[in-house]
């Protein structure tokens, strides 16, 4: 068996099905039992699901020593159950194979297992090459890219179907036939929202697109040609919407409890049965002014920083007594409270209620998933709060989500202090993930760094070839609790690398173009080896990138 490790694939597709091809690394497997004949097929082929009948043509690369193929006989067989099934149907005898797939057929499937037998009729020697054809749901487990071209927003995509990476710079226009008109603001998303069918939302993940045009901004269904399900203004109570600035807000999902939304110091949240957002109120014991400037959501609750009173607060989602349904706000609902964090003297590393006024908490990101015993899997997550302190020093406060809802556990488990690395300021993009212990990734200039917060040392893990490029945002593809709680290997079977160690980097180059760089990382936070796809992918064709999301 021989492995060919590099190829360029531009499969024959209907133009409406495939926007572009990308040079990628894949594997070819073929049998050389016929010494003077070589047969090459891609390990898998991918096509995006359409609304109507699709065709796909596979053209194998077949060579003979003398260039004559007239004595070769071809037999294509297929089944839809497994690669090892012995029950296959013969579907063709030509050198190439064209499949016709009807998504409206009641027996439609998403994966086809195919084998090509090539026989030398002179000797009856035979070789077999297996492959698969995979049909992908549009924009599912894909990167979305909100960028600017021609003075307006465009929504692009990078999809992974089979072994093919499909880049569509303006997926929104391709699906809707029209342009976004506003300037890009942000992307918000919720991965695998429970009860999504309750309000007729068909996609696996919620996607919110925001531009400076409010009439085109809000919840869209990416699997239904980006249909606008509801604008942002339709998702807030008229009595509370004055506390929102739709050009300046933060969002993050807590899958069990809905999307969290922060703007102008106020917190809002959905519940798991509706996209409508209601404002959260500080509990009575939380005296003084409360203005949330940063927050992070775990699998069951959330942590915020109150910039007005210089304290961390518990965004107590588990205390929410109400659920609601539908798209229309019917009044003010009683939502989850914002609570004081109990200081456990002698247990907590510091008092979370008293952060020095001369410190500036610039970010809170989700952190390591400890493999501790005695608690539920979803209770094992930490988060990191990064603060700039006087004297060019940095503090990173480590919090346990579990302790926010349990007594006698340390809420603030540790505090690390170190000289602020060059390039870190209040606007620095940062992220981390559940597989990275005491590691934060940040971007400065044209570089991405891995910061060891226990020592303060940082190392470059990626650098753009454009020395004047800037990086606008960093996003981990998923936290494990988003799609499969505690499963750090989620994605390995289909993508070839865990989603939880997939880092998206939005690079804006000096010529005005943007690139989505995707880094496959190992558990130590370094760029891994190539697997099914390259460990460093550079996807081009975008304008200046404002935000990215993995859905």
């Amino acid at each position: 068996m021989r492995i060919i490790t590099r190829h360029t694939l531009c499969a024959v597709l209907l133009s409406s099905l495939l926007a572009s091809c990308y040079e990628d690394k894949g594997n070819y497997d073929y049998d050389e039992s016929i010494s003077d004949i070589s047969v090459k097929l891609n390990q898998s082929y991918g096509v995006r699901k359409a609304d109507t009948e699709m065709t796909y043509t596979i053209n194998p690369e077949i060579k003979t020593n003398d260039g004559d193929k007239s004595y070769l006989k071809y037999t294509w067989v297929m089944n839809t159950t497994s690669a090892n099934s012995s029950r296959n149907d013969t579907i063709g005898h030509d050198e190439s194979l064209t499949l016709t797939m009807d998504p409206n057929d009641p027996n439609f499937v998403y994966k086809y297992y195919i084998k090509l037998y090539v026989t030398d009729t002179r000797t009856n020697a035979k070789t077999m090459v297996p492959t698969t054809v995979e049909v992908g749901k549009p924009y599912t487990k894909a990167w979305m890219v909100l960028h600017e071209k021609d003075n307006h927003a465009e929504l692009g995509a990078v999809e992974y179907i089979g072994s093919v990476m499909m880049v569509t710079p303006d997926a929104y226009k391709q699906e809707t036939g029209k342009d976004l008109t506003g300037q890009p603001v942000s992307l918000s998303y919720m991965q695998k929202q429970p009860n999504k069918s309750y309000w007729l939302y068909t996609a696996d993940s919620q996607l919110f697109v925001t531009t400076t045009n409010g009439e085109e901004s809000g919840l869209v269904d990416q699997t239904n040609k980006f249909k606008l399900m509801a604008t942002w203004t339709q998702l807030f109570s008229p009595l509370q919407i004055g506390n929102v600035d739709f050009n300046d807000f933060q969002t993050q999902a807590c899958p069990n409890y809905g999307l969290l939304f922060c703007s102008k110091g106020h917190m809002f949240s959905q519940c798991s049965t509706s996209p409508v957002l209601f404002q959260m109120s500080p509990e009575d014991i939380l005296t003084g002014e409360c203005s949330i400037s940063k927050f992070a959501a775990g699998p069951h609750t959330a942590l915020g920083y109150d910039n007005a009173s210089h304290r961390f607060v518990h965004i107590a989602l588990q205390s929410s007594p109400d659920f609601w349904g539908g798209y229309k706000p019917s009044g003010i609902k009683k939502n989850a409270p914002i609570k004081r964090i109990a200081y456990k003297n002698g247990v907590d590393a510091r008092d979370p209620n008293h952060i020095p006024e001369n410190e500036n908490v610039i970010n809170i990101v989700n952190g390591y998933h400890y493999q501790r015993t005695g608690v539920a899997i979803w209770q094992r997550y930490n988060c990191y709060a990064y603060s700039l302190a006087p004297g060019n020093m940095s503090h990173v406060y480590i919090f346990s989500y579990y302790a926010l809802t349990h007594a006698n556990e340390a809420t603030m488990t540790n505090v690390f202090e170190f000289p602020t690395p060059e390039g870190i300021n209040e606007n620095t993009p940062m992220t981390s993930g559940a597989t990275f212990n005491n590691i934060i990734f940040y971007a400065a200039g044209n570089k991405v760094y891995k910061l060891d917060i226990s020592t303060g040392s940082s190392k470059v893990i990626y650098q753009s070839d454009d020395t004047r490029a800037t990086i606008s945002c960093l996003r981990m593809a998923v936290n494990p609790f988003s799609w499969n709680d505690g499963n750090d290997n989620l994605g390995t079977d289909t993508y070839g690398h865990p989603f939880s160690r997939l880092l998206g980097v939005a690079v804006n180059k000096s010529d005005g173009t943007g690139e989505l760089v995707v880094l496959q990382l190992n558990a130590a936070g370094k760029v891994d080896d190539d697997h099914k796809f390259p460990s460093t992918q550079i996807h081009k064709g975008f304008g200046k990138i404002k935000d990215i999301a993995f859905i």
Side-chain angles (χ1 to χ4, degrees):
M1 181 173 288
R2 182 180 174 190
I3 304 296
I4 307 296
T5 60
R6 189 168 183 84
H7 72 284
T8 300
L9 170 67
C10 285
V12 178
L13 286 174
L14 293 178
S15 60
S16 62
L17 298 180
L18 183 57
S20 60
C21 293
Y22 184 94
E23 185 181 79
D24 67 283
K25 285 188 176 181
N27 291 326
Y28 290 111
D29 295 338
Y30 62 92
D31 187 348
E32 289 188 309
S33 60
I34 305 177
S35 60
D36 63 342
I37 302 172
S38 71
V39 182
K40 299 179 184 178
L41 283 176
N42 193 18
Q43 186 176 359
S44 62
Y45 297 90
V47 57
R48 186 191 298 121
K49 185 180 178 182
D51 296 330
T52 57
E53 191 174 84
M54 304 166 286
T55 61
Y56 194 100
T57 299
I58 300 174
N59 292 300
E61 182 182 336
I62 300 175
K63 296 180 180 179
T64 62
N65 287 348
D66 58 7
D68 182 11
K69 294 189 287 184
S70 62
Y71 54 84
L72 299 182
K73 176 184 175 182
Y74 310 102
T75 303
W76 296 85
V77 301
M78 182 184 76
N79 75 83
T80 57
T81 56
S82 77
N84 298 320
S85 175
S86 60
R87 301 184 65 179
N88 296 282
D89 295 324
T90 299
I91 56 174
H93 291 288
D94 296 326
E95 182 175 343
S96 63
L97 175 69
T98 297
L99 290 178
T100 300
M101 297 161 283
D102 184 356
N104 300 306
D105 188 322
N107 297 318
F108 175 77
V109 296
Y110 285 90
K111 193 167 185 176
Y112 302 83
Y113 300 91
I114 298 172
K115 297 175 183 177
L116 169 61
Y117 291 88
V118 178
T119 303
D120 184 337
T121 58
R122 302 169 304 177
T123 64
N124 286 325
K126 182 183 296 185
T127 186
M128 185 275 290
V129 189
T131 188
T132 61
V133 172
E134 299 179 35
V135 180
K137 296 180 181 179
Y139 316 111
T140 299
K141 294 180 176 57
W143 289 98
M144 305 306 297
V145 182
L146 185 65
H147 61 107
E148 181 182 340
K149 269 191 179 181
D150 301 325
N151 203 36
H152 67 87
E154 291 188 359
L155 182 63
V158 176
E159 299 173 86
Y160 302 87
I161 302 176
S163 60
V164 183
M165 293 182 282
M166 302 180 181
V167 181
T168 312
D170 195 353
Y172 182 88
K173 185 171 184 178
Q174 175 175 290
E175 298 292 337
T176 66
K178 60 184 180 180
D179 291 315
L180 291 166
T181 60
Q183 299 293 309
V185 174
S186 68
L187 294 175
S188 305
Y189 52 100
M190 167 106 64
Q191 294 160 339
K192 197 169 184 180
Q193 163 70 2
N195 303 314
K196 56 185 176 292
S197 61
Y198 180 85
W199 25 283
L200 305 178
Y201 193 82
T202 60
D204 288 344
S205 299
Q206 293 179 35
L207 176 64
F208 299 80
V209 179
T210 307
T211 75
T212 54
N213 180 356
E215 294 182 356
E216 64 187 11
S217 301
L219 177 66
V220 301
D221 186 345
Q222 63 271 22
T223 62
N224 188 18
K225 297 185 179 298
F226 295 103
K227 178 183 177 181
L228 183 63
M229 307 297 289
T231 65
W232 276 120
T233 54
Q234 292 172 323
L235 297 178
F236 285 84
S237 166
L239 299 178
Q240 297 174 344
I241 201 168
N243 292 329
V244 177
D245 180 354
F246 289 110
N247 291 311
D248 186 11
F249 62 89
Q250 308 167 53
T251 59
Q252 193 180 331
C254 185
N256 292 338
Y257 294 93
L259 186 75
L260 300 185
F261 187 107
C262 180
S263 182
K264 299 170 67 172
H266 303 285
M267 288 295 306
F268 300 80
S269 73
Q270 297 176 335
C271 70
S272 62
T273 54
S274 172
V276 177
L277 293 117
F278 289 99
Q279 189 168 334
M280 307 169 71
S281 300
E283 63 177 359
D284 293 339
I285 197 174
L286 196 67
T287 59
E289 184 182 357
C290 181
S291 180
I292 308 299
S293 59
K294 301 293 179 183
F295 77 94
H300 63 294
T301 193
L303 177 81
Y305 180 69
D306 175 5
N307 189 54
S309 296
H310 306 285
R311 61 192 170 191
F312 291 97
V313 293
H314 176 201
I315 301 170
L317 302 177
Q318 287 180 308
S319 301
S320 178
D322 288 343
F323 289 87
W324 48 90
Y327 277 99
K328 294 182 179 180
S330 57
I332 301 300
K333 296 287 184 180
K334 185 178 180 183
N335 210 336
I338 299 172
K339 303 177 70 172
R340 183 181 183 273
I341 298 174
Y343 173 45
K344 302 155 189 174
N345 195 7
V347 179
D348 283 324
R350 289 189 189 174
D351 185 353
N353 301 287
H354 298 287
I355 303 301
E357 294 185 13
N358 54 7
E359 284 196 25
N360 181 17
V361 176
I362 62 172
N363 218 324
I364 307 177
V365 298
N366 281 320
Y368 190 57
H369 178 224
Y370 285 95
Q371 300 300 314
R372 59 182 290 183
T373 59
V375 299
I377 291 175
W378 56 268
Q379 295 174 329
R380 301 174 185 173
Y381 292 88
N382 282 4
C383 66
Y384 308 138
Y386 197 107
S387 179
L388 298 176
N392 197 34
M393 297 298 290
S394 288
H395 292 156
V396 178
Y397 300 98
I398 315 299
F399 284 88
S400 164
Y401 282 123
Y402 174 78
L404 288 172
T405 55
H406 292 78
N408 303 319
E409 287 269 347
T411 304
M412 187 186 292
T413 60
N414 212 335
V415 181
F416 293 115
E417 182 178 27
F418 48 86
T420 300
E422 183 178 357
I424 290 185
N425 56 53
E426 61 183 8
N427 298 314
T428 297
M430 288 183 178
T431 193
S432 188
T435 61
F436 304 110
N437 189 10
N438 292 334
I439 292 174
I440 288 177
F441 303 99
Y442 73 92
N446 69 332
K447 302 180 181 68
V448 178
Y449 295 83
K450 181 194 78 167
L451 171 65
D452 182 342
I453 59 178
S454 65
T455 64
S457 63
S458 59
K459 295 182 179 179
V460 175
I461 61 169
Y462 173 77
Q463 180 174 347
S464 170
D465 58 5
D466 182 349
T467 58
R468 295 185 295 159
T470 58
I471 294 170
S472 60
C473 60
L474 301 175
R475 295 279 186 271
M476 297 306 304
V478 301
N479 287 299
F481 59 77
S482 297
W483 279 334
N484 192 353
D485 189 36
N487 182 3
D488 294 341
N489 290 317
L490 182 69
T492 303
D493 291 343
T494 56
Y495 176 81
H497 189 84
F499 290 139
S500 60
R501 292 195 269 111
L502 204 62
L503 176 60
V505 183
V507 179
N508 291 323
K509 307 194 76 173
S510 58
D511 63 1
T513 63
E515 297 176 346
L516 172 64
V517 177
V518 180
L519 304 177
Q520 296 177 171
L521 304 178
N522 62 21
K526 299 179 181 178
V527 177
D528 207 349
D529 297 328
D530 291 354
H531 294 290
K532 183 174 183 179
F533 297 102
S535 59
T536 300
Q537 305 163 20
I538 301 177
H539 302 291
K540 302 183 179 183
F542 306 107
K544 184 178 180 181
I545 299 175
K546 182 68 174 180
D547 207 355
I548 58 177
F550 188 75
I551 58 171

